[in-house]
């Protein structure tokens, strides 16, 4: 580690580049950045928040010259600790670079593509594309909590939209530290921006390029071109998508912070009029048959298909209620600021020995709020264990309506209803409020709960036994099991709220063995972070991108030492 005097010199250089107010060193200031939303935390030399791409390059150069580890962070909405430090056993000081101030979005090719700078959020991109009647890769879920566009690409995040697959591009502008320890800028954005880093970054920041400078190379993809085909292969004994899929690792895509990305170029998608169906059943076979029909017999793929188990429905209804109501009242754009404010309050309360008080107060307030979920959904909750929310393109609505009517006319195990616009909107919003509900449950039941074991898994496309049955000895250690996910893709989120005294890590490792036996891949879309072990292909991708091990070291439980020693 650097001597104190060297550390102070490094901090001063960073201050000279971005200004004192954008170099954070006090623990109260850095807390929001150096701990994950659900998992992972560690110490940093400084958090630096550059205001331009050129400042980002200069900060990076200063950190590399000072032999610091660099952790790139956008919105810090990940669930596996993948953009925060982890522990205190680093061999070099850690500089965390937050890209929150670099929120540029540049629309090109008449809205068919966009160039996004590091701090651009999905929520903002959705609004920017609205006049073009187009959408980004993901429009709900991560966008609700302020997730960044680049974060999705760098983590191969999947999302809920069945036709689009993992966030992916082969067009990016990024920096890496090469085998000789030299910092180099690589422009694979497909835009002619000049030659020197200063020229390239300044011209991009100010959008000083012409239409003729934007190259169109059909062999370079700006979205996943194969997924719509892959997800339909319901008889294949492999998952449709997962983070470590070698065929979907390319430079920035799947890089997980092992390079410093300045911009990505992405396809956008036509906004398609659609309607929502709500299905409830007590038989997993019903949902399996519906899934197979939708993926193989429907002329066009459904837009989305989201699953909620009854327990997840209940926990989400009670412990995700304030998130749901907040988004309803104020919109998704306000969510990151609300999280930041809550984090400051929590930091103060922890100092005075009142950890968890804010969650208990918020939870108490929600008890006095009226029921926020549609009556027909709540009736289905009482009748059925499994819930499926389907968003179908308008021209296929009649076919789906007929299929579901005929199917349940012959069975007493389930039923469906065609949602009103409000019911459909609230159904999907509830599904995504479920994702944070386990955290609130834990934070308001500290005396009973040890922690959460959170898995996101991809099952085989031909797996008909998708409902998990745990061994009795494991089941007895769990208070609640929350199952929810992207059902048509066979990607599930599984949150286990474990009893006080249980070792969550040991339980997670047991879970991995069960998943291996089922032929599942994991993680499916939140990347390895510091929670999972990077499989060989993923580790090789990291080592190729970052041969000196200077960026986001230790990711995927790899070496934290320089040159991967």
């Amino acid at each position: 580690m650097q001597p104190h005097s060297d550390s102070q010199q490094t901090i001063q250089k960073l201050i000279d580049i971005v200004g004192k107010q954008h170099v954070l060193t006090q623990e109260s200031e850095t807390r929001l950045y150096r701990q994950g939303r659900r998992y992972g935390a560690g110490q940093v030399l400084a958090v630096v928040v550059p205001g331009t791409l050129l400042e980002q390059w200069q900060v990076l150069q200063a950190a590399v010259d000072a032999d610091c580890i660099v952790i790139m962070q956008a919105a810090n909405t990940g669930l596996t600790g993948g953009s925060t430090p982890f522990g205190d056993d680093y061999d070099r000081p850690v500089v965390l670079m937050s890209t929150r101030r670099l929120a540029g979005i540049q629309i090109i090719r008449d809205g068919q593509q966009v160039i996004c700078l590091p701090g651009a959020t999905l929520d903002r991109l959705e609004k920017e594309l609205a006049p073009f009647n187009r959408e980004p890769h993901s429009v709900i879920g991560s966008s609700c909590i302020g997730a960044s566009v680049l974060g999705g690409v760098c983590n191969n995040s999947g999302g809920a939209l069945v036709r689009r697959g993992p966030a992916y591009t082969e067009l990016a502008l990024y920096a890496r530290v090469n085998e000789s320890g030299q910092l180099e800028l690589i422009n694979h954005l497909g835009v002619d921006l000049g030659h020197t880093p200063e020229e390239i970054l300044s011209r991009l920041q100010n959008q000083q390029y012409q239409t003729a400078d934007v190259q169109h190379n059909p062999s370079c993809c700006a979205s996943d071109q194969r997924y719509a085909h892959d997800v339909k292969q319901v008889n294949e004994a492999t998952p449709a998508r997962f983070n470590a899929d070698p065929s979907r690792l390319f430079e920035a895509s799947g890089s997980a912070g092992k390079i410093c990305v300045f911009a990505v170029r992405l396809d956008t998608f036509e906004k398609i009029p659609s309607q929502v169906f709500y299905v409830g059943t007590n038989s997993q076979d019903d949902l399996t048959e519906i899934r197979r029909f939708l993926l193989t017999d429907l002329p066009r793929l459904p837009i989305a298909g989201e699953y909620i188990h009854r327990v997840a429905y209940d926990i989400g209804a009670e412990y995700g209620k304030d998130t749901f109501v907040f988004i309803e009242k104020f919109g998704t754009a306000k969510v990151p600021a609300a999280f930041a404010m809550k984090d400051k309050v929590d930091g103060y309360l922890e100092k005075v020995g009142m950890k968890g008080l804010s969650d208990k107060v918020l939870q108490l307030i929600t008890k006095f709020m009226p029921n926020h979920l549609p009556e027909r959904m709540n009736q289905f909750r009482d009748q059925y264990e499994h819930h499926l929310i389907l968003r179908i393109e308008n021209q296929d609505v009649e076919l789906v309506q007929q299929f579901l009517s005929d199917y349940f006319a012959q069975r007493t195990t389930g039923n469906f209803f065609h949602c009103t616009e409000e019911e459909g909107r609230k159904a999907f919003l509830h599904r995504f409020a479920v994702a944070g509900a386990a955290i609130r449950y834990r934070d308001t039941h500290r005396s009973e709960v040890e922690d959460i074991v959170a898995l996101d898994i991809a099952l085989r496309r031909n797996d008909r036994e998708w409902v998990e049955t745990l061994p009795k000895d494991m089941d007895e250690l769990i208070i609640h099991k929350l199952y929810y996910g992207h059902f048509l893709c066979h990607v599930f989120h599984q949150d286990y709220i474990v009893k006080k005294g249980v070792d969550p890590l040991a339980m997670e490792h047991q879970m991995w063995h069960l998943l291996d036996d089922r032929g599942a891949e994991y993680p499916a879309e939140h990347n390895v972070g510091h929670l999972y072990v990077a499989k060989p292909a993923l580790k090789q991708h990291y080592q190729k991108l970052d041969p000196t091990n200077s960026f986001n070291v230790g990711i995927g439980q790899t070496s934290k030492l320089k040159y991967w020693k």
Side-chain angles (χ1 to χ4, degrees):
M1 299 293 285
Q2 287 182 332
H4 178 72
S5 59
D6 290 345
S7 294
Q8 289 304 117
Q9 286 179 11
T10 301
I11 291 170
Q12 187 57 52
K13 285 181 182 178
L14 299 174
I15 291 172
D16 292 342
I17 295 167
V18 301
K20 189 169 185 179
Q21 70 182 104
H22 300 302
V23 178
L24 312 178
T25 56
Q26 300 299 314
E27 289 208 1
S28 60
E29 298 174 324
T30 62
R31 184 180 186 276
L32 177 66
Y33 302 89
R34 57 182 170 77
Q35 63 181 28
R37 182 65 52 85
R38 179 182 282 175
Y39 181 82
Q43 297 301 311
V44 296
L45 175 66
V47 172
V48 189
V49 193
T52 67
L53 295 181
L54 185 55
E55 285 184 359
Q56 182 178 341
W57 169 260
Q58 292 167 338
V59 167
L60 186 59
Q61 186 72 70
V64 171
D65 290 346
D67 197 24
C68 292
I69 291 163
V70 177
I71 297 177
M72 301 300 303
Q73 184 185 98
N76 194 19
T77 59
L79 302 181
T80 59
S83 58
T84 57
F86 186 77
D88 56 3
D89 55 342
Y90 293 98
D91 64 343
R92 290 152 287 169
V94 175
V95 171
L96 191 154
M97 194 178 339
S98 169
T99 63
R100 288 171 181 256
R101 296 172 65 208
L102 302 171
I105 294 170
Q106 300 174 8
I107 296 175
I108 60 174
R109 302 188 66 209
D110 299 320
Q112 294 183 48
Q113 289 188 329
V114 291
I115 293 172
C116 292
L117 304 192
T121 64
L122 283 166
D123 178 80
R124 185 69 246 167
L125 180 55
E126 186 178 350
K127 290 179 172 61
E128 293 277 344
L129 289 173
F132 297 86
N133 197 39
R134 298 186 74 83
E135 297 176 330
H137 168 268
S138 181
V139 296
I140 195 167
S142 295
S143 57
C144 286
I145 51 175
S148 71
V149 177
L150 263 70
V153 171
C154 293
N155 290 308
N156 272 15
S157 298
L161 299 173
V162 181
R163 305 177 182 186
R164 301 179 192 175
Y168 179 82
T169 187
E170 296 169 1
L171 301 168
L173 173 65
Y174 65 93
R176 69 190 290 264
V177 177
N178 63 24
E179 291 81 355
S180 303
Q182 300 300 308
L183 185 64
E184 55 185 17
L185 185 67
I186 298 172
N187 183 8
H188 288 171
L189 200 60
V191 182
D192 185 1
L193 294 165
H195 302 286
T196 67
E198 291 76 14
E199 183 183 13
I200 290 169
L201 296 171
S202 296
R203 286 185 63 191
L204 177 61
Q205 179 92 52
N206 298 314
Q207 208 166 346
Q208 292 175 335
Y209 54 86
Q210 307 300 317
T211 302
D213 296 323
V214 180
Q215 301 144 16
H216 177 55
N217 182 352
S219 66
C220 290
C221 300
S223 60
D224 191 325
Q225 303 295 300
R226 296 185 292 112
Y227 189 71
H229 169 270
D230 292 353
V231 74
K232 293 166 69 173
Q233 310 310 307
V234 295
N235 294 315
E236 293 295 320
T238 55
R241 60 176 167 93
F242 57 99
N243 287 129
D245 181 353
S247 70
R248 291 184 167 97
L249 301 174
F250 186 90
E251 295 182 352
S253 296
S255 60
K258 296 303 289 181
I259 52 178
C260 175
V261 184
F262 290 85
V264 294
R265 178 172 160 186
L266 295 165
D267 289 333
T268 66
F269 303 87
E270 182 183 1
K271 188 180 291 185
I272 298 172
S274 60
Q275 297 175 45
V276 176
F277 291 93
Y278 198 97
V279 180
T281 179
N282 290 314
S283 168
Q284 69 172 333
D285 294 337
D286 287 345
L287 295 194
T288 295
E289 294 307 314
I290 292 169
R291 172 178 173 267
R292 293 175 75 87
F293 164 78
L294 293 171
L295 294 179
T296 60
D297 295 343
L298 208 61
R300 286 153 290 272
L301 280 171
I303 293 171
E306 293 297 298
Y307 170 77
I308 313 177
H309 185 270
R310 178 189 276 154
V311 174
Y313 184 107
D314 289 347
I315 299 292
E318 184 173 354
Y319 294 92
K321 188 175 182 179
D322 59 327
T323 298
F324 183 107
V325 173
F326 186 91
I327 293 171
E328 277 271 284
K329 298 292 184 186
F330 302 107
T332 57
K334 301 291 186 184
V335 174
F339 272 114
M341 177 62 72
K342 181 178 180 297
D343 185 82
K344 287 183 179 179
V345 172
D346 288 344
Y348 173 77
L349 291 173
E350 280 186 30
K351 282 186 177 180
V352 297
M354 301 174 72
K355 184 176 181 179
L357 179 61
S358 69
D359 289 286
K360 290 178 180 177
V361 170
L362 286 169
Q363 202 54 40
L364 181 63
I365 292 171
T366 63
K367 289 185 181 296
F368 295 98
M369 293 179 180
N371 193 309
H372 60 297
L373 297 177
E375 180 59 29
R376 288 201 288 182
M377 280 175 56
N378 287 329
Q379 289 173 356
F380 266 45
R381 177 262 165 235
D382 294 339
Q383 297 175 62
Y384 304 116
E385 179 182 1
H386 306 291
H387 298 243
L388 179 63
I389 314 162
L390 298 171
R391 185 173 292 282
I392 304 295
E393 188 171 336
N394 275 357
Q395 58 186 321
D396 294 325
V397 164
E398 190 175 334
L399 276 172
V400 174
Q401 176 98 29
Q402 190 62 54
F403 172 80
L404 293 174
S405 297
D406 293 345
Y407 185 87
F408 286 116
Q410 304 171 44
R411 294 164 179 82
T412 59
T413 48
N415 206 342
F416 79 100
F417 62 86
H418 191 171
C419 294
T420 65
E421 185 176 343
E422 182 184 20
E423 286 174 329
R425 177 175 53 78
K426 288 189 172 184
F428 274 97
L429 183 51
H430 177 53
R431 152 64 185 90
F432 292 105
V434 167
I439 301 172
R440 170 61 57 77
Y441 186 98
R442 177 197 65 190
D443 292 344
T444 54
H445 294 78
R446 291 281 184 180
S447 61
E448 308 158 31
V449 176
E450 185 65 36
D451 210 338
I452 302 165
V453 174
L455 301 175
D456 61 292
I457 69 168
L459 297 182
R460 294 172 289 122
R461 283 170 280 181
N462 67 348
D463 197 341
R464 291 176 176 269
E465 301 297 322
W466 51 269
V467 175
E468 180 178 68
T469 303
L470 291 175
K472 186 179 178 183
D473 61 330
M474 291 180 70
D475 202 43
E476 290 174 344
L477 303 177
I478 299 170
I479 300 172
H480 292 298
K481 302 185 291 287
L482 280 68
Y483 298 115
Y484 54 99
H486 315 306
F487 186 69
L488 301 184
C489 303
H490 255 200
V491 168
F492 291 87
H493 299 282
Q494 302 183 172
D495 295 344
Y496 308 90
I497 302 173
V498 300
K499 295 178 179 178
K500 201 72 175 175
V502 175
D503 182 348
L505 197 57
M507 174 168 282
E508 183 172 330
H509 291 170
Q510 283 183 275
M511 297 282 186
W512 291 354
H513 292 303
L514 297 176
L515 293 172
D516 290 339
D517 292 342
R518 296 175 68 188
E521 289 281 358
Y522 52 91
E525 61 178 14
H526 284 298
N527 221 318
V528 290
H530 289 282
L531 192 57
Y532 298 93
V533 176
K535 293 184 177 179
L538 192 58
K539 184 178 178 181
Q540 288 170 16
H541 182 57
Y542 294 160
Q543 290 177 321
K544 182 180 178 181
L545 292 174
D546 184 20
T548 64
N549 204 19
S550 298
F551 291 95
N552 209 10
V553 307
I555 202 82
Q557 300 185 26
T558 58
S559 170
K560 287 187 173 181
L561 303 180
K562 194 169 184 180
Y563 292 107
W564 302 88
K565 291 178 181 177

